[in-house]
Amino acid sequence: MIYSINYDLKRPGQNYDALHEAIKGCGSWWHYLGSTWLVDTNLNAKGVWDRLSPHVDKNDNMLIVGITRDYNGWLPKAAWDWINQRAHKAAA
């Protein structure tokens, strides 16, 4: 399943490298937008949150949402290739 991980990190200057490494550790990932990551993983949304939550502060916000076949936007071709290749696999 592909999940979109979106966050609003509230502590300026905080080092979120551990969060980014935890996101990368969930599976195959794509990161083109500043506070949005796409992760292709065998985990469910709660499993992703369980891995990431130790790396965020109580005042940060995060949304983890499964990607369906209904998506659209303006991204580079490489981004659409990454999404489409995995979305077709998930739909099978």
Side-chain angles (χ1 to χ4, degrees), residues 36-48:
T36 300
W37 294 69
L38 298 181
V39 176
D40 185 7
T41 181
N42 292 326
L43 300 170
N44 61 21
K46 182 180 179 331
V48 172

Side-chain angles (χ1 to χ4, degrees), residues 9-90:
L9 305 175
K10 305 281 187 163
R11 185 171 282 175
Q14 172 124 357
N15 184 343
Y16 286 101
D17 290 344
L19 171 62
H20 298 154
E21 290 305 314
I23 292 171
K24 292 175 183 178
C26 288
S28 178
W29 56 274
W30 175 86
H31 178 65
Y32 188 79
L33 304 171
S35 60
T36 300
W37 294 69
L38 298 181
V39 176
D40 185 7
T41 181
N42 292 326
L43 300 170
N44 61 21
K46 182 180 179 331
V48 172
W49 171 246
D50 289 345
R51 289 207 183 172
L52 305 185
S53 63
H55 306 289
V56 296
D57 295 327
K58 298 285 186 223
N59 62 337
D60 293 333
N61 295 307
M62 183 173 289
L63 177 64
I64 301 164
V65 179
I67 301 291
T68 68
R69 292 286 302 141
D70 187 21
Y71 51 81
N72 209 320
W74 187 262
L75 297 170
K77 182 182 181 314
W80 288 119
D81 290 346
W82 190 96
I83 294 167
N84 289 327
Q85 178 185 26
R86 286 159 179 81
H88 289 297
K89 178 184 76 173

